Amino acid sequence: MTATNAREVNFDGLVGPTHNYGGLSDGNLASMNNLGDVSNPREAALQGVAKMRRLLALGLTQGVLLPHERPHMPTLKAFGFTGSDAEILQRAAYAPGLVPNVASASAMWTANAATVSPSADCQDGRVHFTPANLTAMFHRSIEHPVTGRMLKAIFNDDRHFAHHPPAPSGGRMGDEGAANHGRLALSHGAKGLQLFVYGHSAFERDQGTQRFASRQALQCSHAVATMNDVRGDSLIFIRQAARAIDAGAFHNDVVSVTNGTALMFHEHAFEDRDGTLEALKQRCAPLGFEPVFIEARADDVSLQDAIGSYLFNSQLVTLPDGAMALILPTEAEDTASTKAWVDAQIAGNGPIRQAHYMDLKQSMKNGGGPACLRLRVVLTDDELAALQGRALVDEAMADKLEDWIKRHYRDRLAIADLADPQLLVECRAALDELTQITGVGSIYDFQLTGS
Ligand code: SUG
């Protein structure tokens, strides 16, 4: 089996200036429970940059995706509001719930930005990008136009990159991007098996869940795999356990994570655990490897502890020396069962050799852990060179981002502040500067159309 030299680049979402606790995501326990808390956007963004620095220090390649314009004025105009920005915001504030929905900084969770298929698995040998339609939550459904523009601006070379529209939406036709997508491969550059995890069929009334709605439709997973041109022997569809969704695992990356040949997962992550593991073994055999299953049994880590601590929302990464490291939230260190489980992995003979705990509390309070904050993009050396440095982060860029955050961000934001016209002015000034700092260029509506 031939493999090209390739690496994984994590594109972290920079937390936006309107980061707040709007309680917008039904089924996401942290978001629901922290509704109305006062947020600290500056601290949130700095915590994100600290995570990027940790990955750089480990010798990994790091990228960044930019926040979106919020409050999103084009959406408010689509609701019929007219006048100056200040007038629109003032009038929209009377529509129940509308301003928090168009002001959420949710684009920071870039695991939901798109599904990215590495060139080694695709028929035409290019890297494919399909932005997620994010239909399930209104505040997230408005992200994909800017996400698509941003990805095209960064991965701007037709020889290496292919960009697709989001999967069709409407009703239960939801796609949540890479949060429900994994990949097993001998190495990043080798042909691999892509795991498309879904929760329901959009055409069936019974979704299997009792408490919360599933967000990912099987039909969307099919659409993404088809658009991304993934080879038939490089894909598999797996159903997420209804039980996990009902317990608060609104995305599969809350209960499982893949890297290299390893699948780290909770016993109750998949609807048919035994069948899934058997199918993965069979499908990986022709690719030249046996998958390594790193399982947390419910007796050791309850589903509740797994979801409360975000153990599986850690980043599982391969270090330059070939060993694997976990980048976890401190909540997984503070929860006795998950800390003991991680310690046992490190002490054992498995592939995980290091654990790094990061304080991401600002994002965690909205249900966004380390893995939610990043979009994985496997790139060969040539593909990486085609970026010409756009959106890549080194220590000097991390310094610039921190300086930019300190100059532009508030350290206190309540829901009532979201309709403040000055917040929009601050957000646009910050983003305008950021497109220059990162080399991404003009991508926002206010830059392109002046409104
Ligand atoms: O879609 N939270 C996000 C969290 C996304 C986490 N991503 C992954 N698991 N990959 C969501 O539920 C809450 C925003 C608020 O309540 O203000 C929010 O959108």
Side-chain angles (χ1 to χ4, degrees), residues 20-25 28 31-32 100 104-106 109 111-112 134 137 139-140 176 178-179 215 250-251 253-254 310 313 366-369 371-373:
N20 74 94
Y21 299 119
L24 302 177
S25 288
N28 168 344
S31 158
M32 292 162 75
S104 172
S106 55
W109 299 298
N112 308 114
L134 294 172
M137 300 284 150
H139 70 288
R140 305 218 60 182
E176 299 276 321
R215 295 197 198 182
F250 54 99
H251 290 136
D253 69 2
V254 175
Y310 263 42
N313 201 258
N366 257 335
C372 301
L373 284 162

PDB file of all heavy atoms in Angstrom, residues 20-25 28 31-32 100 104-106 109 111-112 134 137 139-140 176 178-179 215 250-251 253-254 310 313 366-369 371-373, ligand 1:
ATOM      1  N   ASN A  20     -21.346  34.114  23.951  1.00  0.00           N
ATOM      2  CA  ASN A  20     -22.296  34.339  25.060  1.00  0.00           C
ATOM      3  C   ASN A  20     -23.056  33.050  25.368  1.00  0.00           C
ATOM      4  O   ASN A  20     -22.941  32.063  24.644  1.00  0.00           O
ATOM      5  CB  ASN A  20     -23.275  35.456  24.681  1.00  0.00           C
ATOM      6  CG  ASN A  20     -24.300  34.996  23.657  1.00  0.00           C
ATOM      7  OD1 ASN A  20     -25.394  34.565  23.997  1.00  0.00           O
ATOM      8  ND2 ASN A  20     -23.952  35.048  22.373  1.00  0.00           N
ATOM      9  N   TYR A  21     -23.812  33.097  26.443  1.00  0.00           N
ATOM     10  CA  TYR A  21     -24.558  31.919  26.872  1.00  0.00           C
ATOM     11  C   TYR A  21     -26.051  32.105  26.609  1.00  0.00           C
ATOM     12  O   TYR A  21     -26.812  32.537  27.477  1.00  0.00           O
ATOM     13  CB  TYR A  21     -24.256  31.619  28.352  1.00  0.00           C
ATOM     14  CG  TYR A  21     -22.784  31.335  28.563  1.00  0.00           C
ATOM     15  CD1 TYR A  21     -22.003  32.140  29.392  1.00  0.00           C
ATOM     16  CD2 TYR A  21     -22.161  30.293  27.875  1.00  0.00           C
ATOM     17  CE1 TYR A  21     -20.639  31.897  29.556  1.00  0.00           C
ATOM     18  CE2 TYR A  21     -20.801  30.049  28.023  1.00  0.00           C
ATOM     19  CZ  TYR A  21     -20.046  30.851  28.860  1.00  0.00           C
ATOM     20  OH  TYR A  21     -18.713  30.606  28.993  1.00  0.00           O
ATOM     21  N   GLY A  22     -26.447  31.788  25.382  1.00  0.00           N
ATOM     22  CA  GLY A  22     -27.825  32.012  24.951  1.00  0.00           C
ATOM     23  C   GLY A  22     -28.738  30.819  25.176  1.00  0.00           C
ATOM     24  O   GLY A  22     -29.946  30.910  24.945  1.00  0.00           O
ATOM     25  N   GLY A  23     -28.173  29.695  25.623  1.00  0.00           N
ATOM     26  CA  GLY A  23     -29.005  28.506  25.877  1.00  0.00           C
ATOM     27  C   GLY A  23     -29.742  28.041  24.634  1.00  0.00           C
ATOM     28  O   GLY A  23     -30.888  27.611  24.697  1.00  0.00           O
ATOM     29  N   LEU A  24     -29.063  28.087  23.492  1.00  0.00           N
ATOM     30  CA  LEU A  24     -29.753  27.900  22.218  1.00  0.00           C
ATOM     31  C   LEU A  24     -29.876  26.450  21.762  1.00  0.00           C
ATOM     32  O   LEU A  24     -30.668  26.156  20.868  1.00  0.00           O
ATOM     33  CB  LEU A  24     -29.013  28.692  21.122  1.00  0.00           C
ATOM     34  CG  LEU A  24     -28.874  30.202  21.362  1.00  0.00           C
ATOM     35  CD1 LEU A  24     -28.055  30.836  20.243  1.00  0.00           C
ATOM     36  CD2 LEU A  24     -30.247  30.855  21.448  1.00  0.00           C
ATOM     37  N   SER A  25     -29.064  25.568  22.336  1.00  0.00           N
ATOM     38  CA  SER A  25     -28.980  24.216  21.767  1.00  0.00           C
ATOM     39  C   SER A  25     -29.688  23.171  22.606  1.00  0.00           C
ATOM     40  O   SER A  25     -29.120  22.637  23.569  1.00  0.00           O
ATOM     41  CB  SER A  25     -27.507  23.829  21.586  1.00  0.00           C
ATOM     42  OG  SER A  25     -26.949  24.548  20.517  1.00  0.00           O
ATOM     43  N   ASN A  28     -28.090  19.801  24.105  1.00  0.00           N
ATOM     44  CA  ASN A  28     -26.700  20.061  24.507  1.00  0.00           C
ATOM     45  C   ASN A  28     -26.787  20.559  25.954  1.00  0.00           C
ATOM     46  O   ASN A  28     -27.175  21.701  26.213  1.00  0.00           O
ATOM     47  CB  ASN A  28     -26.127  21.106  23.548  1.00  0.00           C
ATOM     48  CG  ASN A  28     -24.788  21.695  23.995  1.00  0.00           C
ATOM     49  OD1 ASN A  28     -24.402  21.573  25.142  1.00  0.00           O
ATOM     50  ND2 ASN A  28     -24.117  22.356  23.064  1.00  0.00           N
ATOM     51  N   SER A  31     -25.056  23.868  27.155  1.00  0.00           N
ATOM     52  CA  SER A  31     -25.711  25.064  26.611  1.00  0.00           C
ATOM     53  C   SER A  31     -27.027  25.324  27.345  1.00  0.00           C
ATOM     54  O   SER A  31     -27.336  26.461  27.727  1.00  0.00           O
ATOM     55  CB  SER A  31     -25.957  24.879  25.113  1.00  0.00           C
ATOM     56  OG  SER A  31     -26.975  25.723  24.642  1.00  0.00           O
ATOM     57  N   MET A  32     -27.797  24.271  27.576  1.00  0.00           N
ATOM     58  CA  MET A  32     -29.105  24.432  28.231  1.00  0.00           C
ATOM     59  C   MET A  32     -28.936  24.901  29.679  1.00  0.00           C
ATOM     60  O   MET A  32     -29.674  25.769  30.151  1.00  0.00           O
ATOM     61  CB  MET A  32     -29.862  23.090  28.208  1.00  0.00           C
ATOM     62  CG  MET A  32     -30.283  22.651  26.809  1.00  0.00           C
ATOM     63  SD  MET A  32     -30.704  20.892  26.717  1.00  0.00           S
ATOM     64  CE  MET A  32     -32.283  20.846  27.510  1.00  0.00           C
ATOM     65  N   PRO A 100     -30.381  36.838  20.134  1.00  0.00           N
ATOM     66  CA  PRO A 100     -29.396  35.826  20.557  1.00  0.00           C
ATOM     67  C   PRO A 100     -29.092  34.796  19.455  1.00  0.00           C
ATOM     68  O   PRO A 100     -27.960  34.355  19.306  1.00  0.00           O
ATOM     69  CB  PRO A 100     -30.064  35.155  21.766  1.00  0.00           C
ATOM     70  CG  PRO A 100     -30.979  36.194  22.307  1.00  0.00           C
ATOM     71  CD  PRO A 100     -31.478  36.977  21.117  1.00  0.00           C
ATOM     72  N   SER A 104     -25.007  34.513  18.119  1.00  0.00           N
ATOM     73  CA  SER A 104     -24.179  33.452  18.697  1.00  0.00           C
ATOM     74  C   SER A 104     -22.832  33.365  17.992  1.00  0.00           C
ATOM     75  O   SER A 104     -22.740  33.518  16.770  1.00  0.00           O
ATOM     76  CB  SER A 104     -24.897  32.099  18.560  1.00  0.00           C
ATOM     77  OG  SER A 104     -24.030  31.063  18.956  1.00  0.00           O
ATOM     78  N   ALA A 105     -21.801  33.104  18.766  1.00  0.00           N
ATOM     79  CA  ALA A 105     -20.453  32.933  18.186  1.00  0.00           C
ATOM     80  C   ALA A 105     -20.200  31.462  17.846  1.00  0.00           C
ATOM     81  O   ALA A 105     -19.055  31.013  17.769  1.00  0.00           O
ATOM     82  CB  ALA A 105     -19.408  33.443  19.165  1.00  0.00           C
ATOM     83  N   SER A 106     -21.274  30.716  17.583  1.00  0.00           N
ATOM     84  CA  SER A 106     -21.168  29.259  17.438  1.00  0.00           C
ATOM     85  C   SER A 106     -20.257  28.781  16.305  1.00  0.00           C
ATOM     86  O   SER A 106     -19.845  27.621  16.303  1.00  0.00           O
ATOM     87  CB  SER A 106     -22.566  28.651  17.254  1.00  0.00           C
ATOM     88  OG  SER A 106     -23.236  29.270  16.168  1.00  0.00           O
ATOM     89  N   TRP A 109     -17.013  26.491  16.783  1.00  0.00           N
ATOM     90  CA  TRP A 109     -16.889  25.026  16.876  1.00  0.00           C
ATOM     91  C   TRP A 109     -16.741  24.472  15.460  1.00  0.00           C
ATOM     92  O   TRP A 109     -17.691  23.993  14.829  1.00  0.00           O
ATOM     93  CB  TRP A 109     -18.084  24.461  17.634  1.00  0.00           C
ATOM     94  CG  TRP A 109     -18.109  25.020  19.040  1.00  0.00           C
ATOM     95  CD1 TRP A 109     -17.145  24.843  20.003  1.00  0.00           C
ATOM     96  CD2 TRP A 109     -19.092  25.880  19.610  1.00  0.00           C
ATOM     97  NE1 TRP A 109     -17.485  25.533  21.144  1.00  0.00           N
ATOM     98  CE2 TRP A 109     -18.672  26.176  20.930  1.00  0.00           C
ATOM     99  CE3 TRP A 109     -20.290  26.429  19.145  1.00  0.00           C
ATOM    100  CZ2 TRP A 109     -19.409  27.005  21.787  1.00  0.00           C
ATOM    101  CZ3 TRP A 109     -21.018  27.244  19.995  1.00  0.00           C
ATOM    102  CH2 TRP A 109     -20.579  27.515  21.297  1.00  0.00           C
ATOM    103  N   ALA A 111     -15.459  21.909  14.219  1.00  0.00           N
ATOM    104  CA  ALA A 111     -15.731  20.494  13.900  1.00  0.00           C
ATOM    105  C   ALA A 111     -17.060  20.398  13.172  1.00  0.00           C
ATOM    106  O   ALA A 111     -17.330  19.402  12.497  1.00  0.00           O
ATOM    107  CB  ALA A 111     -15.765  19.654  15.169  1.00  0.00           C
ATOM    108  N   ASN A 112     -17.898  21.428  13.301  1.00  0.00           N
ATOM    109  CA  ASN A 112     -19.192  21.446  12.620  1.00  0.00           C
ATOM    110  C   ASN A 112     -19.174  22.302  11.351  1.00  0.00           C
ATOM    111  O   ASN A 112     -20.228  22.513  10.740  1.00  0.00           O
ATOM    112  CB  ASN A 112     -20.282  21.977  13.550  1.00  0.00           C
ATOM    113  CG  ASN A 112     -20.309  21.257  14.878  1.00  0.00           C
ATOM    114  OD1 ASN A 112     -20.038  21.840  15.917  1.00  0.00           O
ATOM    115  ND2 ASN A 112     -20.601  19.973  14.840  1.00  0.00           N
ATOM    116  N   LEU A 134     -26.113  22.358   8.949  1.00  0.00           N
ATOM    117  CA  LEU A 134     -26.449  22.689  10.343  1.00  0.00           C
ATOM    118  C   LEU A 134     -27.924  23.062  10.530  1.00  0.00           C
ATOM    119  O   LEU A 134     -28.266  23.966  11.298  1.00  0.00           O
ATOM    120  CB  LEU A 134     -25.517  23.813  10.845  1.00  0.00           C
ATOM    121  CG  LEU A 134     -24.031  23.409  10.949  1.00  0.00           C
ATOM    122  CD1 LEU A 134     -23.148  24.615  11.264  1.00  0.00           C
ATOM    123  CD2 LEU A 134     -23.825  22.339  12.011  1.00  0.00           C
ATOM    124  N   MET A 137     -30.259  23.431  14.192  1.00  0.00           N
ATOM    125  CA  MET A 137     -30.334  24.580  15.098  1.00  0.00           C
ATOM    126  C   MET A 137     -30.339  25.853  14.259  1.00  0.00           C
ATOM    127  O   MET A 137     -29.371  26.091  13.511  1.00  0.00           O
ATOM    128  CB  MET A 137     -29.101  24.619  16.023  1.00  0.00           C
ATOM    129  CG  MET A 137     -28.939  23.398  16.887  1.00  0.00           C
ATOM    130  SD  MET A 137     -30.103  23.425  18.266  1.00  0.00           S
ATOM    131  CE  MET A 137     -30.345  21.668  18.494  1.00  0.00           C
ATOM    132  N   HIS A 139     -29.650  28.940  14.883  1.00  0.00           N
ATOM    133  CA  HIS A 139     -28.487  29.834  15.026  1.00  0.00           C
ATOM    134  C   HIS A 139     -27.266  29.305  14.289  1.00  0.00           C
ATOM    135  O   HIS A 139     -26.377  30.068  13.939  1.00  0.00           O
ATOM    136  CB  HIS A 139     -28.167  30.101  16.499  1.00  0.00           C
ATOM    137  CG  HIS A 139     -27.620  28.930  17.273  1.00  0.00           C
ATOM    138  ND1 HIS A 139     -28.382  27.841  17.643  1.00  0.00           N
ATOM    139  CD2 HIS A 139     -26.382  28.679  17.755  1.00  0.00           C
ATOM    140  CE1 HIS A 139     -27.640  26.988  18.327  1.00  0.00           C
ATOM    141  NE2 HIS A 139     -26.410  27.463  18.401  1.00  0.00           N
ATOM    142  N   ARG A 140     -27.219  27.989  14.039  1.00  0.00           N
ATOM    143  CA  ARG A 140     -26.082  27.411  13.336  1.00  0.00           C
ATOM    144  C   ARG A 140     -26.352  27.277  11.832  1.00  0.00           C
ATOM    145  O   ARG A 140     -25.408  27.217  11.037  1.00  0.00           O
ATOM    146  CB  ARG A 140     -25.726  26.049  13.960  1.00  0.00           C
ATOM    147  CG  ARG A 140     -25.467  26.151  15.475  1.00  0.00           C
ATOM    148  CD  ARG A 140     -24.351  25.268  15.932  1.00  0.00           C
ATOM    149  NE  ARG A 140     -23.106  25.593  15.272  1.00  0.00           N
ATOM    150  CZ  ARG A 140     -21.962  24.944  15.451  1.00  0.00           C
ATOM    151  NH1 ARG A 140     -21.928  23.936  16.287  1.00  0.00           N
ATOM    152  NH2 ARG A 140     -20.860  25.277  14.811  1.00  0.00           N
ATOM    153  N   GLU A 176     -24.092  17.803  10.362  1.00  0.00           N
ATOM    154  CA  GLU A 176     -23.325  18.534  11.376  1.00  0.00           C
ATOM    155  C   GLU A 176     -21.826  18.453  11.135  1.00  0.00           C
ATOM    156  O   GLU A 176     -21.015  18.729  12.016  1.00  0.00           O
ATOM    157  CB  GLU A 176     -23.687  18.015  12.769  1.00  0.00           C
ATOM    158  CG  GLU A 176     -25.156  18.193  13.127  1.00  0.00           C
ATOM    159  CD  GLU A 176     -25.504  19.592  13.675  1.00  0.00           C
ATOM    160  OE1 GLU A 176     -24.709  20.141  14.434  1.00  0.00           O
ATOM    161  OE2 GLU A 176     -26.586  20.119  13.332  1.00  0.00           O
ATOM    162  N   ALA A 178     -17.903  17.449  10.453  1.00  0.00           N
ATOM    163  CA  ALA A 178     -16.885  16.508  10.924  1.00  0.00           C
ATOM    164  C   ALA A 178     -17.121  15.994  12.339  1.00  0.00           C
ATOM    165  O   ALA A 178     -16.465  15.035  12.762  1.00  0.00           O
ATOM    166  CB  ALA A 178     -15.508  17.163  10.838  1.00  0.00           C
ATOM    167  N   ALA A 179     -18.055  16.606  13.075  1.00  0.00           N
ATOM    168  CA  ALA A 179     -18.364  16.106  14.421  1.00  0.00           C
ATOM    169  C   ALA A 179     -18.954  14.701  14.366  1.00  0.00           C
ATOM    170  O   ALA A 179     -18.929  13.967  15.355  1.00  0.00           O
ATOM    171  CB  ALA A 179     -19.334  17.049  15.124  1.00  0.00           C
ATOM    172  N   ARG A 215     -29.424  15.039  15.349  1.00  0.00           N
ATOM    173  CA  ARG A 215     -29.164  16.139  14.406  1.00  0.00           C
ATOM    174  C   ARG A 215     -28.696  15.659  13.026  1.00  0.00           C
ATOM    175  O   ARG A 215     -28.781  16.391  12.057  1.00  0.00           O
ATOM    176  CB  ARG A 215     -28.067  17.058  14.958  1.00  0.00           C
ATOM    177  CG  ARG A 215     -28.428  17.787  16.223  1.00  0.00           C
ATOM    178  CD  ARG A 215     -27.451  18.944  16.411  1.00  0.00           C
ATOM    179  NE  ARG A 215     -27.425  19.464  17.764  1.00  0.00           N
ATOM    180  CZ  ARG A 215     -26.688  20.492  18.139  1.00  0.00           C
ATOM    181  NH1 ARG A 215     -25.893  21.091  17.261  1.00  0.00           N
ATOM    182  NH2 ARG A 215     -26.693  20.919  19.384  1.00  0.00           N
ATOM    183  N   PHE A 250     -25.056  15.062  21.641  1.00  0.00           N
ATOM    184  CA  PHE A 250     -25.726  15.612  20.459  1.00  0.00           C
ATOM    185  C   PHE A 250     -24.883  15.470  19.197  1.00  0.00           C
ATOM    186  O   PHE A 250     -25.392  15.594  18.087  1.00  0.00           O
ATOM    187  CB  PHE A 250     -26.110  17.078  20.703  1.00  0.00           C
ATOM    188  CG  PHE A 250     -24.956  17.940  21.132  1.00  0.00           C
ATOM    189  CD1 PHE A 250     -24.299  18.734  20.219  1.00  0.00           C
ATOM    190  CD2 PHE A 250     -24.518  17.921  22.445  1.00  0.00           C
ATOM    191  CE1 PHE A 250     -23.215  19.510  20.604  1.00  0.00           C
ATOM    192  CE2 PHE A 250     -23.430  18.694  22.840  1.00  0.00           C
ATOM    193  CZ  PHE A 250     -22.781  19.480  21.919  1.00  0.00           C
ATOM    194  N   HIS A 251     -23.583  15.262  19.368  1.00  0.00           N
ATOM    195  CA  HIS A 251     -22.700  14.917  18.246  1.00  0.00           C
ATOM    196  C   HIS A 251     -21.944  13.645  18.631  1.00  0.00           C
ATOM    197  O   HIS A 251     -21.634  13.443  19.806  1.00  0.00           O
ATOM    198  CB  HIS A 251     -21.657  16.016  17.983  1.00  0.00           C
ATOM    199  CG  HIS A 251     -22.237  17.281  17.422  1.00  0.00           C
ATOM    200  ND1 HIS A 251     -21.868  18.524  17.866  1.00  0.00           N
ATOM    201  CD2 HIS A 251     -23.147  17.479  16.445  1.00  0.00           C
ATOM    202  CE1 HIS A 251     -22.527  19.451  17.179  1.00  0.00           C
ATOM    203  NE2 HIS A 251     -23.316  18.850  16.319  1.00  0.00           N
ATOM    204  N   ASP A 253     -18.909  13.079  18.274  1.00  0.00           N
ATOM    205  CA  ASP A 253     -17.579  13.363  18.835  1.00  0.00           C
ATOM    206  C   ASP A 253     -17.624  13.650  20.342  1.00  0.00           C
ATOM    207  O   ASP A 253     -16.609  13.962  20.948  1.00  0.00           O
ATOM    208  CB  ASP A 253     -16.851  14.477  18.063  1.00  0.00           C
ATOM    209  CG  ASP A 253     -17.472  15.863  18.240  1.00  0.00           C
ATOM    210  OD1 ASP A 253     -18.456  15.987  18.987  1.00  0.00           O
ATOM    211  OD2 ASP A 253     -16.956  16.813  17.606  1.00  0.00           O
ATOM    212  N   VAL A 254     -18.819  13.542  20.930  1.00  0.00           N
ATOM    213  CA  VAL A 254     -18.922  13.631  22.389  1.00  0.00           C
ATOM    214  C   VAL A 254     -18.726  12.239  23.013  1.00  0.00           C
ATOM    215  O   VAL A 254     -18.451  12.110  24.204  1.00  0.00           O
ATOM    216  CB  VAL A 254     -20.281  14.267  22.795  1.00  0.00           C
ATOM    217  CG1 VAL A 254     -20.487  14.258  24.293  1.00  0.00           C
ATOM    218  CG2 VAL A 254     -20.384  15.698  22.263  1.00  0.00           C
ATOM    219  N   TYR A 310     -16.597  15.419  28.940  1.00  0.00           N
ATOM    220  CA  TYR A 310     -16.123  15.531  27.550  1.00  0.00           C
ATOM    221  C   TYR A 310     -14.830  14.750  27.307  1.00  0.00           C
ATOM    222  O   TYR A 310     -13.990  15.139  26.482  1.00  0.00           O
ATOM    223  CB  TYR A 310     -15.960  17.005  27.147  1.00  0.00           C
ATOM    224  CG  TYR A 310     -17.185  17.520  26.394  1.00  0.00           C
ATOM    225  CD1 TYR A 310     -18.464  17.201  26.803  1.00  0.00           C
ATOM    226  CD2 TYR A 310     -17.051  18.326  25.260  1.00  0.00           C
ATOM    227  CE1 TYR A 310     -19.578  17.656  26.115  1.00  0.00           C
ATOM    228  CE2 TYR A 310     -18.157  18.783  24.563  1.00  0.00           C
ATOM    229  CZ  TYR A 310     -19.419  18.437  25.000  1.00  0.00           C
ATOM    230  OH  TYR A 310     -20.519  18.881  24.311  1.00  0.00           O
ATOM    231  N   ASN A 313     -14.358  14.075  23.763  1.00  0.00           N
ATOM    232  CA  ASN A 313     -14.225  15.255  22.922  1.00  0.00           C
ATOM    233  C   ASN A 313     -12.804  15.789  22.994  1.00  0.00           C
ATOM    234  O   ASN A 313     -12.525  16.946  22.699  1.00  0.00           O
ATOM    235  CB  ASN A 313     -15.245  16.319  23.316  1.00  0.00           C
ATOM    236  CG  ASN A 313     -15.474  17.305  22.192  1.00  0.00           C
ATOM    237  OD1 ASN A 313     -14.949  18.418  22.216  1.00  0.00           O
ATOM    238  ND2 ASN A 313     -16.218  16.903  21.188  1.00  0.00           N
ATOM    239  N   ASN A 366     -20.692  26.006  26.827  1.00  0.00           N
ATOM    240  CA  ASN A 366     -21.652  25.950  25.720  1.00  0.00           C
ATOM    241  C   ASN A 366     -21.609  24.586  25.029  1.00  0.00           C
ATOM    242  O   ASN A 366     -22.134  24.412  23.931  1.00  0.00           O
ATOM    243  CB  ASN A 366     -21.352  27.041  24.699  1.00  0.00           C
ATOM    244  CG  ASN A 366     -22.313  28.216  24.806  1.00  0.00           C
ATOM    245  OD1 ASN A 366     -23.430  28.047  25.284  1.00  0.00           O
ATOM    246  ND2 ASN A 366     -21.892  29.375  24.349  1.00  0.00           N
ATOM    247  N   GLY A 367     -20.932  23.620  25.663  1.00  0.00           N
ATOM    248  CA  GLY A 367     -20.866  22.278  25.092  1.00  0.00           C
ATOM    249  C   GLY A 367     -19.795  22.118  24.027  1.00  0.00           C
ATOM    250  O   GLY A 367     -19.890  21.232  23.175  1.00  0.00           O
ATOM    251  N   GLY A 368     -18.768  22.958  24.057  1.00  0.00           N
ATOM    252  CA  GLY A 368     -17.707  22.883  23.036  1.00  0.00           C
ATOM    253  C   GLY A 368     -16.356  22.538  23.639  1.00  0.00           C
ATOM    254  O   GLY A 368     -15.707  23.386  24.254  1.00  0.00           O
ATOM    255  N   GLY A 369     -15.907  21.311  23.496  1.00  0.00           N
ATOM    256  CA  GLY A 369     -14.614  20.881  24.034  1.00  0.00           C
ATOM    257  C   GLY A 369     -13.492  21.038  23.024  1.00  0.00           C
ATOM    258  O   GLY A 369     -13.686  21.624  21.952  1.00  0.00           O
ATOM    259  N   ALA A 371     -12.124  19.021  20.885  1.00  0.00           N
ATOM    260  CA  ALA A 371     -12.348  18.485  19.534  1.00  0.00           C
ATOM    261  C   ALA A 371     -13.401  19.275  18.769  1.00  0.00           C
ATOM    262  O   ALA A 371     -13.365  19.332  17.540  1.00  0.00           O
ATOM    263  CB  ALA A 371     -12.757  17.011  19.616  1.00  0.00           C
ATOM    264  N   CYS A 372     -14.346  19.906  19.501  1.00  0.00           N
ATOM    265  CA  CYS A 372     -15.351  20.738  18.810  1.00  0.00           C
ATOM    266  C   CYS A 372     -14.692  21.945  18.180  1.00  0.00           C
ATOM    267  O   CYS A 372     -15.154  22.468  17.170  1.00  0.00           O
ATOM    268  CB  CYS A 372     -16.386  21.272  19.792  1.00  0.00           C
ATOM    269  SG  CYS A 372     -17.299  20.033  20.678  1.00  0.00           S
ATOM    270  N   LEU A 373     -13.613  22.396  18.813  1.00  0.00           N
ATOM    271  CA  LEU A 373     -12.995  23.654  18.385  1.00  0.00           C
ATOM    272  C   LEU A 373     -12.073  23.497  17.186  1.00  0.00           C
ATOM    273  O   LEU A 373     -11.428  24.464  16.781  1.00  0.00           O
ATOM    274  CB  LEU A 373     -12.203  24.257  19.565  1.00  0.00           C
ATOM    275  CG  LEU A 373     -13.042  24.932  20.662  1.00  0.00           C
ATOM    276  CD1 LEU A 373     -12.234  25.093  21.945  1.00  0.00           C
ATOM    277  CD2 LEU A 373     -13.554  26.288  20.199  1.00  0.00           C
TER     278      LEU A 373
HETATM  279  O1  SUG B   1     -23.947  23.086  18.243  1.00  0.00           O
HETATM  280  N1  SUG B   1     -23.236  24.954  21.123  1.00  0.00           N
HETATM  281  C1  SUG B   1     -22.771  24.124  20.033  1.00  0.00           C
HETATM  282  C2  SUG B   1     -21.626  23.234  20.507  1.00  0.00           C
HETATM  283  C3  SUG B   1     -20.983  22.497  19.354  1.00  0.00           C
HETATM  284  C4  SUG B   1     -20.052  21.432  19.819  1.00  0.00           C
HETATM  285  N2  SUG B   1     -19.448  20.807  18.705  1.00  0.00           N
HETATM  286  C5  SUG B   1     -19.081  19.518  18.642  1.00  0.00           C
HETATM  287  N3  SUG B   1     -19.498  18.625  19.487  1.00  0.00           N
HETATM  288  N4  SUG B   1     -18.332  19.144  17.634  1.00  0.00           N
HETATM  289  C6  SUG B   1     -23.909  23.280  19.467  1.00  0.00           C
HETATM  290  O2  SUG B   1     -24.740  22.811  20.239  1.00  0.00           O
HETATM  291  C7  SUG B   1     -24.530  26.777  22.109  1.00  0.00           C
HETATM  292  C8  SUG B   1     -24.706  28.253  21.861  1.00  0.00           C
HETATM  293  C9  SUG B   1     -25.530  28.912  22.920  1.00  0.00           C
HETATM  294  O3  SUG B   1     -26.292  28.259  23.631  1.00  0.00           O
HETATM  295  O4  SUG B   1     -25.439  30.169  23.042  1.00  0.00           O
HETATM  296  C10 SUG B   1     -24.031  26.016  20.881  1.00  0.00           C
HETATM  297  O5  SUG B   1     -24.361  26.355  19.773  1.00  0.00           O
END
